[in-house]
Amino acid sequence: MMRTRPLKVALLGCGVVGSEVARIMATHADDLAARIGAPLELAGVAVRRPSKVREGIDPALITTDATALVKRGDIDVVVEVIGGIEPARTLITTAFEHGASVVSANKALLAEDGATLFAAAERHGKDLYYEAAVAGAIPLLRPLRESLAGDKVNRVLGIVNGTTNFILDRMDSSGAGYSEALDEATALGYAEADPTADVEGFDAAAKAAILAGIAFHTRVRLDDVHREGLTEVTAADIASARRMGCTVKLLAICERAADGKSVTARVHPAMIPLSHPLASVREAYNAVFVEAEAAGQLMFYGPGAGGPPTASAVLGDLVAVCRNRIGESTGPGESAYTRLPVSSMAEVVTRYHISLDVADKPGVLAQVATVFAEHDVSIDTVRQQGRLDSAGLGGEASLVVVTHRAPDAALSGTVEALRKLDTVRGVASIMRVEGE
Ligand code: NDP
Ligand code: HSE
């Protein structure tokens, strides 16, 4: 039966995501009311620049006083799509204190200080939903938290940042330059307010922390995630990957240790074979593999960024939270009972692609191979290409070594030792190889 009293929604932020949330709330009002069992009323919209024209939004609803809006006391659900740590954190906790549930897309805040938010939600008996925080439109957190609640997840691996996937895809497929591709991703609304968060891997690391926390029922913070962005990836790396039948992707990988006693979470560029399903994830799409003990391997795929896809996930949460509200219940809160420690990157075992500039003379290959052997890193393949110097004489060569699986600490030791060799002029790039 339809309730006539509307549920009041306060929208904090009306940018790329917020404007789409408001638009869908208005255009799908009747369907949303039927699905929830009560109409939704947009009760206020907090922004930074009140004079900006916002199509389809009653100017009387616009305010710059987000604090007053969340303190009104008659708000049922606060939708936080401002981003960043403050004032978002204080606004969310204040919303709980004043009786509202919260839907947020703010992965940076959840990864930095989710504990404070979950505790506040629990203390006040309210919901905190955040499906949009990871992988845009893809229903991923709810399946992990609810559908797989009876299984044991051992690994989550995927592409979780649309902007960087868009950049790498453009660089690989059309030979576009890095800056040009980043500008395009920003114009399309994929990038964060500060795109450094995307290209330096902070955004993907925040998502990895959230995913690892839910998957392994433990607390993982942004600082626990090993992070490397894509700013060091060169056109030469991409070309080298192609020669190996691979492509370069920025991956987020969360793993439970074989003994089950710890977990790791990392974000870094990696080469993956062109035959791997992740290799065909184009533009700003995301794809995530979840490996669970009983379920086996599951793949989630879809648009990972942008206003409408993200608003879809926010609206899904809004409907769920409103239904809970009407039923005077709440959804599942934080599950962090395993308290598993997060191990460092040094303990991660994977394969590596190392590109070295070396002197092109007898014995160099043997010297390099000895360093790998001394650090117990086994070589899979070596490719050498000589380069002529300006006088047309041989002088330098490029050596590309791909290893078998080895611990990250052993690889770091190898590279350090290689740098000390007189015959090694430089380490041009080091990239992990995944997905084989
Ligand atoms: P935008 O920068 O486009 O929008 C931010 C909005 O917040 C703007 O409306 C801005 O006001 C408002 N705002 C900023 N500071 C304040 C403040 N102090 N008080 C009130 N309002 C404020 O960001 P997005 O919409 O792209 O992102 C919002 C959130 O969603 C972030 O957490 C982001 O990480 C997340 N997200 C974004 C995705 C995307 O594809 N864009 C995908 C998934 C999640 P004004 O309009 O006046 O500038
Ligand atoms: N900047 C983010 C991305 C938005 O590019 O994936 C979606 O979370």
Side-chain angles (χ1 to χ4, degrees), residues 233-252:
V233 176
T234 62
D237 291 328
I238 292 173
S240 189
R242 278 271 153 195
R243 278 195 293 275
M244 281 173 58
C246 290
T247 188
V248 176
K249 295 288 185 190
L250 187 77
L251 298 185

Side-chain angles (χ1 to χ4, degrees), residues 13-18 46-49 52 54 66 81-84 87 105-107 132 189-193 304-307 310:
C14 192
V16 171
V17 180
V47 296
R48 207 171 21 187
R49 296 165 297 163
K52 189 179 171 207
R54 313 208 183 236
V81 278
I82 290 177
N106 195 336
K107 53 270 171 140
Y190 301 149
E192 294 302 300
T310 310

Side-chain angles (χ1 to χ4, degrees), residues 60-217:
L61 295 177
I62 300 288
T63 176
T64 52
D65 195 345
T67 306
L69 182 57
V70 299
K71 278 185 174 176
R72 264 173 49 166
D74 64 339
I75 301 295
D76 291 285
V77 186
V78 166
V79 174
E80 185 277 306
V81 278
I82 290 177
I85 308 303
E86 288 293 353
R89 173 171 46 199
T90 304
L91 290 169
I92 291 175
T93 51
T94 308
F96 290 135
E97 283 161 20
H98 288 80
S101 283
V102 174
V103 173
S104 174
N106 195 336
K107 53 270 171 140
L109 175 56
L110 282 151
E112 173 78 23
D113 195 13
T116 296
L117 306 185
F118 294 124
E122 195 180 338
R123 200 163 49 248
H124 296 284
K126 298 289 175 283
D127 274 327
L128 171 62
Y129 276 44
Y130 48 97
E131 182 66 64
V134 182
I138 308 173
L140 177 61
L141 302 191
R142 205 165 309 163
L144 268 176
R145 199 171 50 189
E146 298 182 26
S147 318
L148 291 166
D151 207 334
K152 183 179 179 190
V153 175
N154 288 321
R155 192 163 191 247
V156 180
L157 171 148
I159 296 166
V160 294
N161 182 270
T163 303
T164 46
N165 200 60
F166 185 89
I167 295 171
L168 289 168
D169 183 36
R170 282 282 192 276
M171 285 172 77
D172 193 10
S173 58
S174 68
Y178 169 85
S179 306
E180 182 193 336
L182 174 58
D183 288 349
E184 204 182 336
T186 305
L188 288 166
Y190 301 149
E192 294 302 300
D194 175 3
T196 313
D198 296 291
V199 296
E200 295 287 1
F202 289 101
D203 179 79
K207 291 164 176 170
I210 295 170
L211 285 171
I214 297 177
F216 307 133
H217 299 268

Side-chain angles (χ1 to χ4, degrees), residues 210-357:
I210 295 170
L211 285 171
I214 297 177
F216 307 133
H217 299 268
T218 191
R219 221 167 247 173
V220 179
R221 296 186 64 232
L222 180 61
D223 287 349
D224 296 321
V225 182
H226 173 87
R227 176 193 55 79
E228 292 168 37
L230 59 69
T231 46
E232 308 278 300
V233 176
T234 62
D237 291 328
I238 292 173
S240 189
R242 278 271 153 195
R243 278 195 293 275
M244 281 173 58
C246 290
T247 188
V248 176
K249 295 288 185 190
L250 187 77
L251 298 185
I253 304 173
C254 312
E255 289 168 312
R256 190 192 290 274
D259 65 6
K261 289 186 179 153
S262 62
V263 298
T264 52
R266 54 191 163 116
V267 165
H268 52 72
M271 293 184 182
I272 52 168
L274 290 169
S275 57
H276 192 282
L278 287 179
S280 50
V281 176
R282 307 283 309 272
E283 306 222 315
Y285 278 75
N286 285 184
V288 178
F289 282 94
V290 175
E291 289 171 23
E293 205 168 81
Q297 199 172 63
L298 308 166
M299 182 175 174
F300 298 82
Y301 171 78
T310 310
S312 165
V314 170
L315 262 297
D317 278 356
L318 183 57
V319 169
V321 168
C322 286
R323 286 175 177 157
N324 291 346
R325 201 101 184 150
I326 290 174
E328 295 181 1
S329 64
T330 52
E334 186 191 28
S335 172
Y337 72 94
T338 62
R339 297 177 202 283
L340 291 169
V342 186
S343 302
S344 74
M345 187 65 193
E347 290 174 45
V348 166
V349 176
T350 188
R351 299 179 65 209
Y352 301 85
H353 171 282
I354 302 127
S355 178
L356 305 168
D357 293 327

